[in-house]
Amino acid sequence: MPKLDEVLDAWSDTLGFPADNRAACPRQPSSLRTGSWAGAAEREMEVERARLLSLAYEFGFDEDAANQGLDRLLDLYGETLPYHFLPGIQSERANSIPPNSKFELFILSGEDGTDFVTVEHCGDDFLAALADFNQDKEDWDDLQAIETEACGALSDIFIDTIPDEKEGNKIAGRVFSSNDNHSRLEVISQNDCNLSSGFKRNEVHTIEQPSKPRVYEDISNYGEVSSNVPGGIDLHAVQDGCETPSYEQLQSMDDISLANVVVFGNKTFRALQYQACKAAMQKKDCFVLMPTGGGKSLCYQLPAILHLGVTVVVCPLLSLIQDQITTLNVKYAIPATFLNSQQTASQASAVIQELRSCNPSCKLLYVTPERIAGNPSFMDTLQCLHQKELLASFVIDEAHCVSQWGHDFRADYRGLGCLKQNFPRVPIMALTATATQPVRQDILDTLRIRNALVLETSFDRPNLKYEVILKSKDSLKQLNQLIKDRFSNMSGIVYCLSKSECVEVSKYLTKCKIKTVHYHAGLAAHQRVAAQRKWQTGEAKVVCATIAFGMGIDKADVRFIIHHTLSKSIESYYQESGRAGRDNLPATCIIFYQKKDFSRVVCMLRNGEGSKRERFKTAMDQAKKMQGYCELKKECRRQTLLSHFGEAFNRNGCITGPSPCDNCSNSEQLI
Ligand SMILES: Nc1ncnc2c1ncn2[C@@H]1O[C@H](COP(=O)(O)OP(=O)(O)OP(=O)(O)O)[C@@H](O)[C@H]1O
Ligand SMILES: [Mg+2]
C-alpha cells in the first residue's frame, strides 16, 4: 500500500502544483501575519481543521488516517498562503496556476483570507485524498467493463429456454413485412380457450399497414401529460388483472390497443402507455418518464411494429439489448436485431446489408450509443433508410445516461444530439425512470427535442416498502438471519459495493444454505449469463451483485432487495430497488447502513470519477443525498425519494398505502 504522504504528493501534483514549486514557496511564516487579524485567521483555521476532521469521521473515515491526511493537506494548501495574503503577488501567482486546477479556484476565491481552508472549499478534496489513500483495499466494479465483451451473433443470443407464455396471452399475434413495404399484423387464435372471446382456433385476422401513415387524433394540445395530476385521469390505463377482451371488444379497438392485446399479450395498458404509443404514431418527439418496471419498452416497441420501416433504439448496455432482442423475437415474434462494437465485421455487415435492402425485415434495430456518436458509416446507413422513408423513429432508452448530472452518465450519449440535427423529421422518443428536474432539461436540450411532448407518471412504487436497518458488526450473520426470518425461499437481490464484497457475501449465504449466486463485471460473459439464468429460473433464490446487475433485469417476482452497502446516489438506489415487485405485489427494499460505509462509497467514486474535479464533486453531492436518506429518523422515505425527482407526495399516501416505509410504520398516526 502506498504511504499517505506519497498519495497526497501524487495527488497534488496531478492538480497542478509541482513538487519543486512547493519547495520554492514555503509556508508563510507566522511573523508576517500581524496583529489581531493573524490571530483571528489562525483561530479560524483551527475551527476549520476541526470541521474537516469531523467531516472525515462523518463520512466514515478512520480517525488516524483523517488526522494524518489533514496535516499533509494543510501543508500543501498552506504553501499557497503567501501569495494569497500578499497583495500584488496574488495575481502573478494566480497566472502561473494551470487553468481549472483546484488551487486556481482556491487562490482566487478569497478576498480577505478568512475562507482559506474550509469544508466548503476543500472538503471534497480532503475526502478525495483520503479515498485515494484507501484505494487499493477493494476492487470496485466497472460497469463499462461489461461492454468490452462480445455479444455475438443474433443466433448466439437466443437462450434455449423460451420465456413462459404470459398468463392471459391466449390470443397471439405476429408482425411481418411484406414485399410491398407494408407491415402486416396477424392475429391468430391459439387454443380453444379463445372461443370465449369469439376467436376460432387458427383463425387469422390481419391489420394491413397503409402505405401512407394513418392520421391519429392529435394529442399535442395536452402539452405535458401526467397521470397523477388532478383531472389527468388515464382512461386507457386499467389494472393489469382484468378479463381478456371479448371478440366484440377486440373488433372495436384501434390498432394500438389491438396490438397490445394480440402481440404483447397485455389485457390493458398501464398509465400513459397508450398516450405514448399514440404520440409515436403521430410522429411527435416525446419524453416518457415512468417508474422502474412501469412498462416503458411497450411505449416504443408497439409503435415500432405499426410503423413502416425500422425503429432505431439506443440502449446503454449489451446485456439489456440482449434481453430485449430475445424477448422481442422469441416471445412476441417481432423481428428485431442489433449492431454493436463487439460484433465481428461479417456479423455487422450482414445487419447493415439487411438495413440497406429495399425491404428490411427487422422492425427494431438496437444499437449502443458509440455506434451513433462519431460513426459516419452508420450515419450513411441511416441516411439510406431515411431516403427510402423507412427510418421510422429513434428511441433513446435509459435516457438519463445523456446527462452528466445523471447517475449513469455515458459520454457517447452526449453525441446523440446529431440525430435531430441530421434527421429533423424523424421523431425521437426518450425514456427514463430516473431524472431530476435539471437532468430532464439537460436531456431535452442535448437531444434537441425541447418541444417534445412530456408524458410523466408518478415515480411512486406503492407496493415497495422502504426500510433502513443499522448494519451490525457481523453484518453477514445479520443478513442471513434477516433473509431466513422474513424472505425465506423468496427471490431477491443483495447489492454490494465491490466485487470482493459480492463474492464474500455470496459465499457466506451459500454456506448458510441459502441458494445464492454472485454477479459482477469481472466474471466472464458465460459465467454472468449462467448466474443470471439460475436466478431468473429460481434455481438460485438470491443473487449477490454489484451495480453491474441492474438495468434491464426484468424478473416479476423479486420480493426483496437488500443493499448490504448503501448506493452511490438516490437515482442508483431508485433503479436498483426498482427491480423488486414488478408484478405489483408487495416487496421490500432494505439498506444496511453504517457511517463507515460512506467512506467506501467515496473511494469508489474517486476511483470512477478520477481526478475530474467537477465530476467528483457532483458525484459526492449525489452520494451525500443518499447518506441523508439513510439517516432519516422520522421523515417518510418514500416522500424523500419522490421529492428528489421533483414529485410532491403527501406522506399520508405512504402511511395509509399498502407498503408504508419503516418511518411511516413507526410514526404515530399523522393523518
Ligand atoms: N400493459 C401492460 N400490462 C401488463 N404487463 C405489462 C404491461 N406493460 C408492460 N408490462 C410488463 O411489465 C414489465 C416491465 O416492463 P418494462 O421492462 O418495459 O419496464 P421499464 O419501464 O422499461 O422498466 P425499467 O425502468 O426497469 O427499464 C415487463 O415484464 C412487461 O412485460
Ligand atoms: Mg426499460
Side-chain angles (χ1 to χ4, degrees):
M1 185 194 288
K3 292 204 177 83
L4 179 63
D5 227 37
E6 289 164 13
V7 171
L8 284 163
D9 275 348
W11 167 73
S12 65
D13 287 346
T14 61
L15 290 166
F17 203 74
D20 47 348
N21 271 6
R22 281 206 297 276
C25 40
R27 189 168 179 159
Q28 174 72 21
S30 58
S31 58
L32 282 184
R33 303 182 206 153
T34 50
S36 59
W37 177 83
E42 271 172 15
R43 273 196 305 280
E44 279 189 36
M45 174 85 87
E46 279 314 304
V47 171
E48 287 306 330
R49 197 187 150 86
R51 284 181 74 214
L52 280 162
L53 282 175
S54 69
L55 177 81
Y57 307 151
E58 178 74 5
F59 288 176
F61 283 100
D62 171 65
E63 193 177 326
D64 283 347
N67 266 302
Q68 274 183 56
L70 185 55
D71 284 346
R72 188 75 190 103
L73 186 77
L74 287 176
D75 261 4
L76 294 172
Y77 272 118
E79 283 155 358
T80 65
L81 198 60
Y83 302 99
H84 184 70
F85 283 168
L86 295 178
I89 298 183
Q90 181 181 331
S91 59
E92 187 192 313
R93 175 66 183 131
N95 288 340
S96 70
I97 301 285
N100 301 327
S101 92
K102 151 168 68 124
F103 292 101
E104 176 193 45
L105 177 96
F106 168 64
I107 287 180
L108 296 176
S109 63
E111 288 294 323
D112 60 7
T114 51
D115 56 352
F116 180 54
V117 173
T118 66
V119 168
E120 289 71 26
H121 276 159
C122 60
D124 283 345
D125 298 328
F126 175 46
L127 296 177
L130 290 175
D132 287 354
F133 174 55
N134 283 292
Q135 206 47 264
D136 58 354
K137 286 185 182 158
E138 289 195 71
D139 47 348
W140 310 113
D141 214 343
D142 178 7
L143 203 52
Q144 311 271 325
I146 280 201
E147 299 303 292
T148 63
E149 300 215 17
C151 193
L154 194 56
S155 55
D156 298 339
I157 70 169
F158 292 145
I159 49 172
D160 39 20
T161 46
I162 295 174
D164 290 342
E165 272 301 302
K166 269 189 178 182
E167 203 200 328
N169 187 9
K170 293 167 184 166
I171 306 162
R174 60 183 172 153
V175 184
F176 44 114
S177 302
S178 54
N179 291 335
D180 51 1
N181 270 356
H182 290 196
S183 302
R184 211 166 76 230
L185 173 66
E186 282 197 356
V187 182
I188 311 164
S189 61
Q190 283 189 319
N191 55 38
D192 291 335
C193 304
N194 298 327
L195 293 175
S196 62
S197 65
F199 279 89
K200 297 195 180 71
R201 186 196 285 268
N202 293 332
E203 193 173 62
V204 177
H205 299 253
T206 61
I207 304 170
E208 289 285 346
Q209 289 305 104
S211 49
K212 284 195 182 138
R214 275 192 184 79
V215 179
Y216 286 85
E217 175 206 340
D218 189 358
I219 62 166
S220 58
N221 299 339
Y222 299 179
E224 187 159 320
V225 182
S226 166
S227 68
N228 55 331
V229 293
I233 300 163
D234 186 355
L235 296 175
H236 295 276
V238 193
Q239 285 301 306
D240 285 354
C242 68
E243 282 304 297
T244 310
S246 69
Y247 182 53
E248 285 70 30
Q249 283 171 321
L250 287 169
Q251 273 190 319
S252 65
M253 283 178 181
D254 65 10
D255 39 7
I256 296 178
S257 302
L258 190 60
N260 187 37
V261 176
V262 300
V263 179
F264 292 92
N266 296 324
K267 292 168 184 168
T268 58
F269 282 107
R270 288 186 182 162
L272 294 185
Q273 282 181 324
Y274 181 85
Q275 285 85 342
C277 293
K278 201 159 183 175
M281 293 314 295
Q282 290 168 340
K283 295 203 163 261
K284 287 185 188 314
D285 295 329
C286 189
F287 189 18
V288 178
L289 296 128
M290 277 183 188
T292 47
K296 291 182 284 299
S297 315
L298 186 92
C299 300
Y300 63 85
Q301 289 171 348
L302 191 154
I305 64 171
L306 296 179
H307 274 312
L308 285 178
V310 181
T311 291
V312 178
V313 186
V314 181
C315 228
L317 293 178
L318 296 183
S319 54
L320 187 50
I321 293 180
Q322 183 161 335
D323 286 349
Q324 299 261 348
I325 297 271
T326 309
T327 306
L328 286 166
N329 283 284
V330 178
K331 190 170 178 183
Y332 302 134
I334 297 170
T337 189
F338 67 91
L339 273 173
N340 68 59
S341 50
Q342 309 303 319
Q343 277 166 310
T344 63
S346 69
Q347 286 165 349
S349 85
V351 177
I352 302 261
Q353 230 174 342
E354 165 72 16
L355 293 171
R356 286 178 171 270
S357 69
C358 16
N359 183 27
S361 59
C362 73
K363 300 303 300 173
L364 293 111
L365 169 72
Y366 281 79
V367 294
T368 41
E370 66 274 12
R371 177 54 69 169
I372 292 187
N375 190 327
S377 88
F378 182 63
M379 277 294 162
D380 194 50
T381 306
L382 292 181
Q383 283 293 0
C384 170
L385 268 175
H386 190 46
Q387 275 153 19
K388 290 178 283 176
E389 303 220 3
L390 290 177
L391 184 56
S393 81
F394 291 114
V395 173
I396 318 296
D397 201 7
E398 309 289 356
H400 54 273
C401 299
V402 166
S403 173
Q404 49 189 327
W405 312 120
H407 58 108
D408 271 328
F409 171 62
R410 288 278 299 270
D412 286 321
Y413 261 77
R414 279 243 54 86
L416 296 179
C418 69
L419 294 175
K420 202 61 185 174
Q421 238 172 348
N422 292 331
F423 305 98
R425 285 187 303 109
V426 178
I428 293 182
M429 181 184 277
L431 308 100
T432 182
T434 40
T436 57
Q437 293 297 341
V439 169
R440 289 175 196 202
Q441 199 49 53
D442 196 17
I443 293 169
L444 291 170
D445 291 345
T446 307
L447 297 178
R448 298 167 192 266
I449 51 167
R450 291 185 191 94
N451 297 320
L453 176 72
V454 179
L455 294 166
E456 180 184 1
T457 67
S458 168
F459 280 101
D460 186 23
R461 298 281 311 273
N463 59 323
L464 300 190
K465 180 174 181 61
Y466 299 102
E467 292 180 39
V468 176
I469 293 179
L470 207 62
K471 190 170 180 175
S472 72
K473 279 215 167 96
D474 194 348
S475 63
L476 293 178
K477 195 168 158 201
Q478 185 186 17
L479 177 67
N480 170 45
Q481 205 53 54
L482 177 72
I483 296 177
K484 289 204 167 128
D485 289 350
R486 291 178 57 186
F487 308 110
S488 173
N489 223 20
M490 295 181 197
S491 179
I493 307 175
V494 176
Y495 273 108
C496 303
L497 208 58
S498 67
K499 294 183 219 165
S500 44
E501 180 188 349
C502 165
V503 174
E504 186 196 1
V505 174
S506 170
K507 266 191 190 157
Y508 186 88
L509 293 181
T510 307
K511 212 171 73 191
C512 298
K513 308 222 169 344
I514 296 174
K515 289 176 186 158
T516 311
V517 286
H518 67 272
Y519 186 108
H520 58 69
L523 297 177
H526 72 273
Q527 291 173 310
R528 286 200 311 270
V529 170
Q532 185 175 343
R533 196 177 301 174
K534 270 191 183 170
W535 178 74
Q536 206 101 30
T537 56
E539 191 183 332
K541 288 292 166 197
V542 177
V543 56
C544 291
T546 62
I547 44 165
F549 194 74
M551 281 194 262
I553 302 296
D554 184 33
K555 187 177 194 305
D557 62 346
V558 178
R559 296 274 70 85
F560 67 94
I561 307 279
I562 299 174
H563 277 73
H564 187 248
T565 306
L566 74 165
S567 301
K568 67 184 166 88
S569 68
I570 294 227
E571 286 96 322
S572 303
Y573 183 63
Y574 179 82
Q575 281 273 0
E576 288 150 11
S577 59
R579 306 286 140 219
R582 285 157 90 92
D583 52 8
N584 284 338
L585 296 173
T588 308
C589 309
I590 299 175
I591 299 178
F592 276 16
Y593 177 67
Q594 59 178 353
K595 264 201 180 12
K596 209 165 85 187
D597 280 346
F598 195 77
S599 64
R600 296 174 55 222
V601 172
V602 181
C603 290
M604 186 178 78
L605 296 178
R606 182 72 187 150
N607 184 58
E609 309 303 326
S611 57
K612 290 181 205 133
R613 192 168 196 264
E614 276 314 303
R615 287 287 298 145
F616 179 68
K617 229 177 137 33
T618 308
M620 279 295 290
D621 287 347
Q622 291 174 341
K624 285 175 199 165
K625 286 186 184 142
M626 185 67 231
Q627 191 191 27
Y629 169 91
C630 293
E631 296 202 343
L632 292 176
K633 295 281 175 296
K634 291 188 173 149
E635 297 83 350
C636 173
R637 295 196 200 279
R638 187 183 306 279
Q639 192 180 46
T640 305
L641 284 179
L642 295 177
S643 81
H644 183 75
F645 297 113
E647 183 175 334
F649 178 82
N650 185 335
R651 183 177 189 173
N652 287 341
C654 186
I655 295 173
T656 57
S659 305
C661 74
D662 50 0
N663 287 347
C664 283
S665 297
N666 296 335
S667 70
E668 297 303 315
Q669 290 305 308
L670 297 169
I671 314 169

